[in-house]
Amino acid sequence: MFLAAGPIAAQQGLFTAVPEQKPVGAASTLEKATDQVAESSRELRAMDLPFNIEPAFAFRA
Amino acid sequence: MGKPDVDPSSLDFATIAELNALLRSRQISCKELTQHFLDRLENFGPHYNALATIIDKPAIQRAPDIDDDLKRERFRSPIQGIPYAVKDLFSTRDCPTTWGAKPFEKQMIDEDAQVIVRLRRAGGVLIGKLAMIELAGGGDYSSAAASLQGPGLNPWNKNHWSGGSSSGSGIAVAAGLVPYALGSETSGSIICPAAYCGVTGLRPTYGLVSRKGAMPLSWTCDKIGVLAHTADDCGYVLERISGADSEDRGSARKSFYHNPQYARPFRDLKVGFNPVDFEQWVDPPSRPVYATALNITKSLGAEMIELTLPDFRYELIISTIIECECASIFEAFIRSDKIDALADPTQINGLKAALHHSAVDYLKAMRVRTQIQDAFRDLFVRVDVLVAPSMLNLPEVISQPLDEQEKARRPHPKQKGLAESLISSANLCGLPGLSVPCGFVNGLPIGLQFVGPAFSESTLLNFGREFQKLTDFHKQHPTVS
């Protein structure tokens, strides 16, 4: 779903290209986002790592 | 105080060094300079949806003290007396800190962020807070309008996006509304608006700048940086905001000193690049401009070495880490009804979905991150700096969803280069990056990024400085209206 422009710009006519609202339900976008998390999880599971690789905790550049 | 001795319009895009010289020679006072930029920020900021809050009275009240210091030749730093603004992600004691998000529009935090405290000590004058993508886009977003102020309008063409999430910071500098601004980057939020708006943006090494008082998005990725007119300006500001902070658990306990005279000579340096970035990955209209930018970089005299990035799923790893950390940080908010007041449904649902990540996912991503860091350590044995286009595409039009425009650019070239994943990989490794304007395509600016190993800011700034000696893209400015 695309959103309307900011109030100030709209008032001043500076942002006229207000996109049309698309009929996409919140539920379907949540479902899509949840599916994406599940897909990421599958992809991570598919990665083989040696057992002795530790997480980058106490992160330092 | 009388009229300034300088043409006010010459101040709009002046560098820190130029403004500092005017202040020290008392051709202009801090009070006059502050009023000049307050007027510009207040008048023009809303035209680009760039302004969150104007901070006029405290700034004007502070100016005479700085003028008094200057009069007595108590010179504190190159930024003394120079106005600036910050992304509205930094807390300020006396005005709201909205994080760019409707649910937080009245939020008051009773402390100034550490970077603001440090800039005040150096004589900086805070004049405003700038628009940003809501919650810095932690849940992902598909619309340029995912911000309390609406879409950041590019000063070069208001039909195009400013980039984000430090949208207002990029706009305000590009439009000459402030001489410099602070932004933050978790993955791309400084480099993107710097490139899109045609300004210089510096993302420092993770831990070099204190994040105390800045909205956390990802404890292990968040970095605070600078957007300004030149590489040197970024160096002056970084010197003042860097340094140890015991209240930031990520602090590297290091400082940065801007001493260009001690930069390593280019003949001793090796620069990694990949021609495929410049010839195939960037949008076709940009390719001739990028070819010129690459030739200018080559002319600096460093040895150029072709390479590709180590083969990892960078986007998967960084998105998992950011989503997990962000979901933990904002858990109570995500589980509340307040989240539905955010502007972008993609952001709302991305944050809600992020709660479904498992601890095992997060740890797996952090373990791969260890491998990525090791691979980059090896890569920076072979080269000192990487150079690539800052962004592969021109600024998106604001009338269409950002994700649809990204999809329309596919398929990507098969041959791998650096640019596709340089922002995500560098942020996973906490590496510094500098984006400098390197040309214009269809009237819109494009940027070139330099990335180096941890704490290589001096080298990166030297590349930026010398590149800017040979070009004038950073001296070109949009018509502001």
Side-chain angles (χ1 to χ4, degrees):
Chain A
M1 191 179 291
F2 204 78
L3 300 154
I8 297 169
Q11 280 164 20
Q12 297 182 349
L14 293 163
F15 177 59
T16 53
V18 180
E20 197 178 319
Q21 295 269 330
K22 288 185 180 173
V24 179
S28 68
T29 42
L30 177 57
E31 199 174 301
K32 198 175 149 191
T34 309
D35 286 349
Q36 184 59 50
V37 168
E39 177 60 22
S40 297
S41 186
R42 276 192 292 276
E43 291 181 38
L44 286 163
R45 273 202 302 273
M47 290 181 182
D48 279 333
L49 282 182
F51 74 92
N52 59 347
I53 301 291
E54 292 189 17
F57 282 152
F59 181 76
R60 285 189 298 274
Chain B
M1 201 163 289
K3 286 185 178 178
D5 295 338
V6 293
D7 172 11
S9 67
S10 70
L11 302 172
D12 300 350
F13 298 99
T15 65
I16 286 175
E18 289 164 349
L19 293 173
N20 178 251
L22 292 172
L23 285 163
R24 285 192 181 210
S25 61
R26 300 183 62 207
Q27 292 176 72
I28 192 164
S29 69
C30 171
K31 188 177 177 186
E32 290 159 346
L33 195 63
T34 299
Q35 191 61 58
H36 176 81
F37 282 107
L38 273 171
D39 290 345
R40 285 186 67 78
L41 185 59
E42 192 164 19
N43 290 338
F44 296 119
H47 293 203
Y48 302 95
N49 295 333
L51 179 61
T53 309
I54 196 86
I55 301 177
D56 48 3
K57 283 182 187 164
I60 290 295
Q61 282 170 0
R62 178 164 157 68
D65 287 343
I66 295 173
D67 278 325
D68 191 49
D69 278 349
L70 291 166
K71 188 177 169 185
R72 294 166 190 270
E73 298 191 351
R74 289 183 193 144
F75 299 136
R76 300 183 192 281
S77 78
I79 60 169
Q80 185 179 13
I82 298 180
Y84 73 102
V86 297
K87 184 177 184 176
D88 200 12
L89 157 147
F90 298 99
S91 61
T92 42
R93 192 187 296 274
D94 297 319
C95 63
T97 300
T98 71
W99 298 342
K102 181 82 176 165
F104 298 97
E105 70 179 331
K106 294 189 172 78
Q107 175 175 248
M108 296 296 290
I109 299 175
D110 192 28
E111 67 167 6
D112 287 328
Q114 180 61 210
V115 283
I116 292 173
V117 172
R118 290 184 185 209
L119 287 175
R120 187 187 302 123
R121 280 186 203 137
V125 183
L126 178 63
I127 64 169
K129 302 185 82 176
L130 302 168
M132 59 181 280
I133 293 292
E134 53 187 2
L135 304 182
D140 201 4
Y141 54 103
S142 60
S143 163
S147 169
L148 192 52
Q149 281 75 31
L153 307 184
N154 196 307
W156 294 90
N157 182 337
K158 286 178 181 169
N159 293 320
H160 289 261
W161 187 37
S162 61
S165 65
S166 305
S167 318
S169 304
I171 296 167
V173 175
L177 312 185
V178 284
Y180 71 93
L182 297 188
S184 70
E185 173 156 329
T186 306
S187 186
S189 289
I190 289 173
I191 299 298
C192 170
Y196 279 9
C197 292
V199 301
T200 308
L202 175 65
R203 175 194 67 227
T205 304
Y206 176 86
L208 186 57
V209 179
S210 169
R211 300 165 302 172
K212 182 172 180 273
M215 183 203 86
L217 172 59
S218 161
W219 301 294
T220 65
C221 294
D222 293 341
K223 293 162 288 290
I224 288 162
V226 191
L227 295 99
H229 293 302
T230 66
D232 266 331
D233 283 1
C234 290
Y236 292 130
V237 179
L238 180 62
E239 178 168 325
R240 306 313 304 199
I241 61 174
S242 67
D245 182 3
S246 59
E247 295 191 64
D248 177 354
R249 296 181 71 87
S251 175
R253 301 172 192 278
K254 290 192 181 218
S255 298
F256 169 82
Y257 299 96
H258 186 50
N259 292 319
Q261 66 272 30
Y262 299 128
R264 291 170 67 189
F266 291 120
R267 66 175 179 276
D268 293 347
L269 297 174
K270 293 175 181 169
V271 175
F273 78 111
N274 197 310
V276 73
D277 288 331
F278 299 83
E279 295 165 4
Q280 294 181 38
W281 275 90
V282 294
D283 284 347
S286 309
R287 290 172 192 170
V289 183
Y290 271 120
T292 305
L294 181 59
N295 284 335
I296 293 168
T297 306
K298 287 176 178 174
S299 76
L300 296 175
E303 182 183 349
M304 302 295 289
I305 295 176
E306 281 189 37
L307 48 76
T308 54
L309 288 185
D311 191 19
F312 286 100
R313 297 283 308 279
Y314 298 107
E315 278 68 30
L316 171 66
I317 300 304
I318 199 163
S319 63
T320 301
I321 291 167
I322 293 172
E323 285 166 19
C324 289
E325 295 185 9
C326 180
S328 178
I329 290 163
F330 289 104
E331 183 184 356
F333 170 71
I334 296 169
R335 294 190 193 280
S336 76
D337 295 340
K338 291 177 188 167
I339 190 174
D340 294 317
L342 290 176
D344 188 329
T346 301
Q347 173 100 262
I348 295 169
N349 293 312
L351 289 169
K352 287 179 178 175
L355 293 173
H356 296 283
H357 275 297
S358 71
V360 175
D361 287 350
Y362 178 68
L363 289 168
K364 187 71 166 282
M366 288 293 271
R367 292 177 70 206
V368 176
R369 187 182 196 176
T370 299
Q371 293 185 309
I372 292 171
Q373 288 182 302
D374 289 346
F376 267 72
R377 211 160 285 144
D378 293 344
L379 183 127
F380 280 117
V381 171
R382 294 170 57 200
V383 295
D384 299 285
V385 171
L386 301 173
V387 65
S390 299
M391 300 296 291
L392 296 171
N393 49 279
L394 294 170
E396 291 87 351
V397 293
I398 50 173
S399 56
Q400 292 171 27
L402 303 173
D403 50 356
E404 286 184 13
Q405 294 179 73
E406 164 58 24
K407 280 180 197 159
R409 284 193 293 272
R410 292 173 186 173
H412 294 315
K414 285 181 183 166
Q415 202 180 335
K416 295 284 182 190
L418 305 177
E420 180 199 11
S421 299
L422 192 51
I423 286 178
S424 52
S425 58
N427 277 287
L428 279 167
C429 297
L431 306 180
L434 178 76
S435 179
V436 293
C438 70
F440 292 86
V441 178
N442 302 333
L444 291 162
I446 59 173
L448 188 70
Q449 64 173 321
F450 298 92
V451 171
F455 309 108
S456 64
E457 280 81 358
S458 288
T459 302
L460 302 185
L461 290 170
N462 196 34
F463 271 95
R465 181 186 318 104
E466 295 305 315
F467 188 90
Q468 290 179 332
K469 276 185 189 169
L470 298 174
T471 60
D472 68 351
F473 307 119
H474 60 293
K475 293 179 181 169
Q476 297 183 37
H477 307 296
T479 304
V480 178
S481 60

